[in-house]
Amino acid sequence: MSVLPVPLDHDNCDTAIRGSFLHFLADPDREGDACEYIDDGLMILKQGRIQMLVPARDWIDELPDGSMFYDYRGRLVMPGFVDTHCHYPQTGMIASYGLQLLDWLQQYTFPTEKKFAEREYADRIAAVFCEQMLLNGTTTSAVFAAVYPESVDAIFEAAATRNLCIVAGKVMMDRNAPAALCDTPESAYRDSSELIRRWHLQGRAHYAVTPRFAPCSSPAQLEVCGQLLAENPDLYLQSHVAENRDEVDWVGQLFPQNRSYLDVYDSYGLLGPRAIYGHCIHLDEADRERLASSGAAIAFCPSSNLFLGSGLFSLDAASEHGIRVGMATDVGAGSSFSLLRILAAAYEVCQLGAQQMSPLKAFYLATLGGARALYLDHRIGNFAVGKEADFVVLDMAPTELMQHRLENTSTLEERLFALMMLGDDRCVQATHVMGIRQYSRPDS
Ligand SMILES: [Zn+2]
């Protein structure tokens, strides 16, 4: 028995998109039927929110006059990618040669971040960063600014101009860094409080308390972080943990009373929902149990971990404990803004650890998984009715090699795997933010 389609409600349609659609309803490693694929679909929007996603044949003739129509037939439309950890001030120092984490910070990162005391410079790089997000199909990012409040205003303003969904905050560090980059517990509290008032929950902006990492914050400053979270319970917190072995040893010397690196943050009240920790490589079982029970999330940064020789993240161990995991570029230690390149690196990291990441799992992590890691899955991450219509339009074969590979695939999973292993920004034909096209590839 076939069911006749209900007529389209014209009052709830100002925009329609036609193409092939793929999105996730759940983690494909945990549930069957976790993804929905419609080969010739039609997505109906009203004021940037999704009203319905249906087969095109039933509704294509019903579109109201005057509605905006995007014809992406032959293209794959997916939810916009979610980058759960990156550093916009490091945009211009991406691909800096030859060092591991602690020396890399001293030689490249700190001198670069000093430039962000100047608002004009910060504005310029924030604009470059947001344009890179769009041309790579990324519509949500969790971003570290620099230590200067002006650098935070710059990234929130650049994101707001493009209506991008953003989590960001002022880096806090009051020791083990050049004096020009150091704040104090008092100034960090004052500046962060002011920025929270100015930006948190304004439009699509979310504020994150952002201690760089435990070695750069005194116990008094980590206390301030806990105080800010206690005063503003819906804030985010973002930092780094257990990235590099020398770093882990250093934290052991600085905080001898704590059981582990993660335990340092825990002892200051910095684990919980909306806390996002980059890397999480050198953890033990007790750490993973604590991450899971607290609701904190891991930002998996495979490109960065390979680039700095930091180690191999265990996706299986995180999954076994049910920890929320999102994908992350970690620019500028990661060497690409493209979540497709990041998925390729993640696959290779898993292989080196004798683990497997299926293409479905990979694209889940880059979309709904990332949204869950950021506790934003009630608003973004898939094409469920009512969600904000952030999406990327993908050309599966922008190169001759990808065309040849595509001709030799027969399943959706094979095509997705080729896309993530061979794809990059050349695959992004368009990026829409709350329905509106914010980027379109110049040749299309
Ligand atoms: Zn980082």
Side-chain angles (χ1 to χ4, degrees), residues 362-382:
F363 282 97
Y364 162 78
L365 288 174
T367 56
L368 184 62
R372 283 195 72 236
L374 299 181
Y375 288 80
L376 290 172
D377 49 312
H378 57 298
R379 288 172 44 195
I380 56 163
N382 65 13

PDB file of all heavy atoms in Angstrom, residues 362-382:
ATOM      1  N   ALA A 362      32.869   7.725  10.531  1.00  0.00           N
ATOM      2  CA  ALA A 362      33.656   8.932  10.294  1.00  0.00           C
ATOM      3  C   ALA A 362      32.745  10.139  10.035  1.00  0.00           C
ATOM      4  O   ALA A 362      32.887  11.192  10.670  1.00  0.00           O
ATOM      5  CB  ALA A 362      34.592   8.713   9.107  1.00  0.00           C
ATOM      6  N   PHE A 363      31.786   9.982   9.123  1.00  0.00           N
ATOM      7  CA  PHE A 363      30.923  11.124   8.801  1.00  0.00           C
ATOM      8  C   PHE A 363      29.932  11.424   9.930  1.00  0.00           C
ATOM      9  O   PHE A 363      29.525  12.576  10.106  1.00  0.00           O
ATOM     10  CB  PHE A 363      30.230  10.920   7.448  1.00  0.00           C
ATOM     11  CG  PHE A 363      31.158  11.200   6.298  1.00  0.00           C
ATOM     12  CD1 PHE A 363      31.826  10.165   5.649  1.00  0.00           C
ATOM     13  CD2 PHE A 363      31.408  12.507   5.892  1.00  0.00           C
ATOM     14  CE1 PHE A 363      32.715  10.418   4.607  1.00  0.00           C
ATOM     15  CE2 PHE A 363      32.296  12.773   4.852  1.00  0.00           C
ATOM     16  CZ  PHE A 363      32.949  11.727   4.214  1.00  0.00           C
ATOM     17  N   TYR A 364      29.585  10.388  10.702  1.00  0.00           N
ATOM     18  CA  TYR A 364      28.791  10.650  11.922  1.00  0.00           C
ATOM     19  C   TYR A 364      29.583  11.556  12.867  1.00  0.00           C
ATOM     20  O   TYR A 364      29.057  12.553  13.379  1.00  0.00           O
ATOM     21  CB  TYR A 364      28.436   9.316  12.603  1.00  0.00           C
ATOM     22  CG  TYR A 364      28.011   9.490  14.042  1.00  0.00           C
ATOM     23  CD1 TYR A 364      26.725   9.933  14.363  1.00  0.00           C
ATOM     24  CD2 TYR A 364      28.909   9.246  15.093  1.00  0.00           C
ATOM     25  CE1 TYR A 364      26.349  10.126  15.689  1.00  0.00           C
ATOM     26  CE2 TYR A 364      28.535   9.437  16.413  1.00  0.00           C
ATOM     27  CZ  TYR A 364      27.254   9.880  16.700  1.00  0.00           C
ATOM     28  OH  TYR A 364      26.896  10.083  18.016  1.00  0.00           O
ATOM     29  N   LEU A 365      30.856  11.218  13.085  1.00  0.00           N
ATOM     30  CA  LEU A 365      31.669  12.007  14.020  1.00  0.00           C
ATOM     31  C   LEU A 365      31.850  13.446  13.537  1.00  0.00           C
ATOM     32  O   LEU A 365      31.896  14.379  14.338  1.00  0.00           O
ATOM     33  CB  LEU A 365      33.040  11.352  14.221  1.00  0.00           C
ATOM     34  CG  LEU A 365      33.055  10.061  15.039  1.00  0.00           C
ATOM     35  CD1 LEU A 365      34.448   9.441  15.029  1.00  0.00           C
ATOM     36  CD2 LEU A 365      32.599  10.300  16.482  1.00  0.00           C
ATOM     37  N   ALA A 366      31.941  13.630  12.221  1.00  0.00           N
ATOM     38  CA  ALA A 366      32.154  14.977  11.672  1.00  0.00           C
ATOM     39  C   ALA A 366      30.885  15.821  11.686  1.00  0.00           C
ATOM     40  O   ALA A 366      30.950  17.028  11.445  1.00  0.00           O
ATOM     41  CB  ALA A 366      32.686  14.869  10.243  1.00  0.00           C
ATOM     42  N   THR A 367      29.720  15.174  11.965  1.00  0.00           N
ATOM     43  CA  THR A 367      28.449  15.922  11.935  1.00  0.00           C
ATOM     44  C   THR A 367      27.719  15.775  13.273  1.00  0.00           C
ATOM     45  O   THR A 367      28.005  16.528  14.208  1.00  0.00           O
ATOM     46  CB  THR A 367      27.579  15.452  10.743  1.00  0.00           C
ATOM     47  OG1 THR A 367      27.364  14.023  10.814  1.00  0.00           O
ATOM     48  CG2 THR A 367      28.244  15.771   9.417  1.00  0.00           C
ATOM     49  N   LEU A 368      26.838  14.768  13.374  1.00  0.00           N
ATOM     50  CA  LEU A 368      26.035  14.640  14.594  1.00  0.00           C
ATOM     51  C   LEU A 368      26.889  14.337  15.829  1.00  0.00           C
ATOM     52  O   LEU A 368      26.603  14.829  16.924  1.00  0.00           O
ATOM     53  CB  LEU A 368      24.973  13.534  14.406  1.00  0.00           C
ATOM     54  CG  LEU A 368      23.989  13.359  15.561  1.00  0.00           C
ATOM     55  CD1 LEU A 368      23.157  14.625  15.783  1.00  0.00           C
ATOM     56  CD2 LEU A 368      23.064  12.155  15.315  1.00  0.00           C
ATOM     57  N   GLY A 369      27.959  13.531  15.644  1.00  0.00           N
ATOM     58  CA  GLY A 369      28.839  13.225  16.777  1.00  0.00           C
ATOM     59  C   GLY A 369      29.473  14.486  17.347  1.00  0.00           C
ATOM     60  O   GLY A 369      29.536  14.676  18.568  1.00  0.00           O
ATOM     61  N   GLY A 370      29.929  15.362  16.449  1.00  0.00           N
ATOM     62  CA  GLY A 370      30.510  16.633  16.893  1.00  0.00           C
ATOM     63  C   GLY A 370      29.479  17.509  17.589  1.00  0.00           C
ATOM     64  O   GLY A 370      29.766  18.153  18.604  1.00  0.00           O
ATOM     65  N   ALA A 371      28.266  17.516  17.045  1.00  0.00           N
ATOM     66  CA  ALA A 371      27.188  18.302  17.670  1.00  0.00           C
ATOM     67  C   ALA A 371      26.877  17.763  19.067  1.00  0.00           C
ATOM     68  O   ALA A 371      26.657  18.530  20.009  1.00  0.00           O
ATOM     69  CB  ALA A 371      25.943  18.261  16.787  1.00  0.00           C
ATOM     70  N   ARG A 372      26.886  16.436  19.217  1.00  0.00           N
ATOM     71  CA  ARG A 372      26.657  15.837  20.548  1.00  0.00           C
ATOM     72  C   ARG A 372      27.795  16.189  21.489  1.00  0.00           C
ATOM     73  O   ARG A 372      27.579  16.484  22.658  1.00  0.00           O
ATOM     74  CB  ARG A 372      26.557  14.310  20.440  1.00  0.00           C
ATOM     75  CG  ARG A 372      25.225  13.799  19.902  1.00  0.00           C
ATOM     76  CD  ARG A 372      25.080  12.299  20.179  1.00  0.00           C
ATOM     77  NE  ARG A 372      24.858  12.046  21.591  1.00  0.00           N
ATOM     78  CZ  ARG A 372      25.610  11.258  22.358  1.00  0.00           C
ATOM     79  NH1 ARG A 372      26.667  10.636  21.856  1.00  0.00           N
ATOM     80  NH2 ARG A 372      25.326  11.097  23.632  1.00  0.00           N
ATOM     81  N   ALA A 373      29.038  16.160  20.978  1.00  0.00           N
ATOM     82  CA  ALA A 373      30.192  16.490  21.825  1.00  0.00           C
ATOM     83  C   ALA A 373      30.052  17.908  22.381  1.00  0.00           C
ATOM     84  O   ALA A 373      30.448  18.189  23.512  1.00  0.00           O
ATOM     85  CB  ALA A 373      31.487  16.340  21.033  1.00  0.00           C
ATOM     86  N   LEU A 374      29.459  18.800  21.583  1.00  0.00           N
ATOM     87  CA  LEU A 374      29.287  20.200  21.994  1.00  0.00           C
ATOM     88  C   LEU A 374      27.915  20.457  22.635  1.00  0.00           C
ATOM     89  O   LEU A 374      27.568  21.614  22.899  1.00  0.00           O
ATOM     90  CB  LEU A 374      29.464  21.129  20.787  1.00  0.00           C
ATOM     91  CG  LEU A 374      30.824  21.090  20.087  1.00  0.00           C
ATOM     92  CD1 LEU A 374      30.861  22.086  18.923  1.00  0.00           C
ATOM     93  CD2 LEU A 374      31.968  21.403  21.054  1.00  0.00           C
ATOM     94  N   TYR A 375      27.141  19.404  22.841  1.00  0.00           N
ATOM     95  CA  TYR A 375      25.789  19.567  23.417  1.00  0.00           C
ATOM     96  C   TYR A 375      24.962  20.553  22.594  1.00  0.00           C
ATOM     97  O   TYR A 375      24.209  21.353  23.127  1.00  0.00           O
ATOM     98  CB  TYR A 375      25.872  20.016  24.885  1.00  0.00           C
ATOM     99  CG  TYR A 375      26.343  18.900  25.809  1.00  0.00           C
ATOM    100  CD1 TYR A 375      27.683  18.578  25.926  1.00  0.00           C
ATOM    101  CD2 TYR A 375      25.420  18.162  26.557  1.00  0.00           C
ATOM    102  CE1 TYR A 375      28.121  17.555  26.759  1.00  0.00           C
ATOM    103  CE2 TYR A 375      25.838  17.141  27.398  1.00  0.00           C
ATOM    104  CZ  TYR A 375      27.184  16.843  27.502  1.00  0.00           C
ATOM    105  OH  TYR A 375      27.594  15.828  28.324  1.00  0.00           O
ATOM    106  N   LEU A 376      25.129  20.454  21.264  1.00  0.00           N
ATOM    107  CA  LEU A 376      24.347  21.299  20.357  1.00  0.00           C
ATOM    108  C   LEU A 376      23.476  20.452  19.435  1.00  0.00           C
ATOM    109  O   LEU A 376      22.933  20.955  18.445  1.00  0.00           O
ATOM    110  CB  LEU A 376      25.282  22.186  19.517  1.00  0.00           C
ATOM    111  CG  LEU A 376      26.008  23.309  20.269  1.00  0.00           C
ATOM    112  CD1 LEU A 376      27.039  23.989  19.371  1.00  0.00           C
ATOM    113  CD2 LEU A 376      25.012  24.343  20.802  1.00  0.00           C
ATOM    114  N   ASP A 377      23.319  19.156  19.751  1.00  0.00           N
ATOM    115  CA  ASP A 377      22.609  18.266  18.831  1.00  0.00           C
ATOM    116  C   ASP A 377      21.097  18.500  18.832  1.00  0.00           C
ATOM    117  O   ASP A 377      20.410  17.950  17.983  1.00  0.00           O
ATOM    118  CB  ASP A 377      22.929  16.792  19.122  1.00  0.00           C
ATOM    119  CG  ASP A 377      22.787  16.431  20.579  1.00  0.00           C
ATOM    120  OD1 ASP A 377      23.327  17.172  21.435  1.00  0.00           O
ATOM    121  OD2 ASP A 377      22.128  15.423  20.886  1.00  0.00           O
ATOM    122  N   HIS A 378      20.587  19.311  19.738  1.00  0.00           N
ATOM    123  CA  HIS A 378      19.169  19.669  19.650  1.00  0.00           C
ATOM    124  C   HIS A 378      18.966  20.777  18.608  1.00  0.00           C
ATOM    125  O   HIS A 378      17.835  21.082  18.234  1.00  0.00           O
ATOM    126  CB  HIS A 378      18.638  20.127  21.011  1.00  0.00           C
ATOM    127  CG  HIS A 378      19.388  21.290  21.597  1.00  0.00           C
ATOM    128  ND1 HIS A 378      20.737  21.224  21.919  1.00  0.00           N
ATOM    129  CD2 HIS A 378      19.001  22.549  21.887  1.00  0.00           C
ATOM    130  CE1 HIS A 378      21.126  22.404  22.391  1.00  0.00           C
ATOM    131  NE2 HIS A 378      20.099  23.223  22.387  1.00  0.00           N
ATOM    132  N   ARG A 379      20.065  21.381  18.124  1.00  0.00           N
ATOM    133  CA  ARG A 379      19.940  22.484  17.166  1.00  0.00           C
ATOM    134  C   ARG A 379      20.588  22.200  15.817  1.00  0.00           C
ATOM    135  O   ARG A 379      20.155  22.734  14.794  1.00  0.00           O
ATOM    136  CB  ARG A 379      20.575  23.750  17.755  1.00  0.00           C
ATOM    137  CG  ARG A 379      19.727  24.343  18.877  1.00  0.00           C
ATOM    138  CD  ARG A 379      20.446  25.473  19.573  1.00  0.00           C
ATOM    139  NE  ARG A 379      21.088  26.381  18.646  1.00  0.00           N
ATOM    140  CZ  ARG A 379      22.005  27.275  19.001  1.00  0.00           C
ATOM    141  NH1 ARG A 379      22.370  27.385  20.266  1.00  0.00           N
ATOM    142  NH2 ARG A 379      22.548  28.052  18.100  1.00  0.00           N
ATOM    143  N   ILE A 380      21.676  21.439  15.815  1.00  0.00           N
ATOM    144  CA  ILE A 380      22.416  21.181  14.574  1.00  0.00           C
ATOM    145  C   ILE A 380      22.843  19.704  14.529  1.00  0.00           C
ATOM    146  O   ILE A 380      22.610  18.966  15.468  1.00  0.00           O
ATOM    147  CB  ILE A 380      23.695  22.062  14.475  1.00  0.00           C
ATOM    148  CG1 ILE A 380      24.586  21.833  15.707  1.00  0.00           C
ATOM    149  CG2 ILE A 380      23.334  23.524  14.310  1.00  0.00           C
ATOM    150  CD1 ILE A 380      26.009  22.311  15.533  1.00  0.00           C
ATOM    151  N   GLY A 381      23.506  19.306  13.437  1.00  0.00           N
ATOM    152  CA  GLY A 381      24.117  17.969  13.365  1.00  0.00           C
ATOM    153  C   GLY A 381      23.422  17.016  12.423  1.00  0.00           C
ATOM    154  O   GLY A 381      24.036  16.079  11.928  1.00  0.00           O
ATOM    155  N   ASN A 382      22.105  17.218  12.188  1.00  0.00           N
ATOM    156  CA  ASN A 382      21.420  16.416  11.168  1.00  0.00           C
ATOM    157  C   ASN A 382      20.231  17.213  10.626  1.00  0.00           C
ATOM    158  O   ASN A 382      20.094  18.404  10.922  1.00  0.00           O
ATOM    159  CB  ASN A 382      21.021  15.036  11.690  1.00  0.00           C
ATOM    160  CG  ASN A 382      19.985  15.093  12.802  1.00  0.00           C
ATOM    161  OD1 ASN A 382      19.366  16.134  13.053  1.00  0.00           O
ATOM    162  ND2 ASN A 382      19.792  13.974  13.479  1.00  0.00           N
TER     163      ASN A 382
END
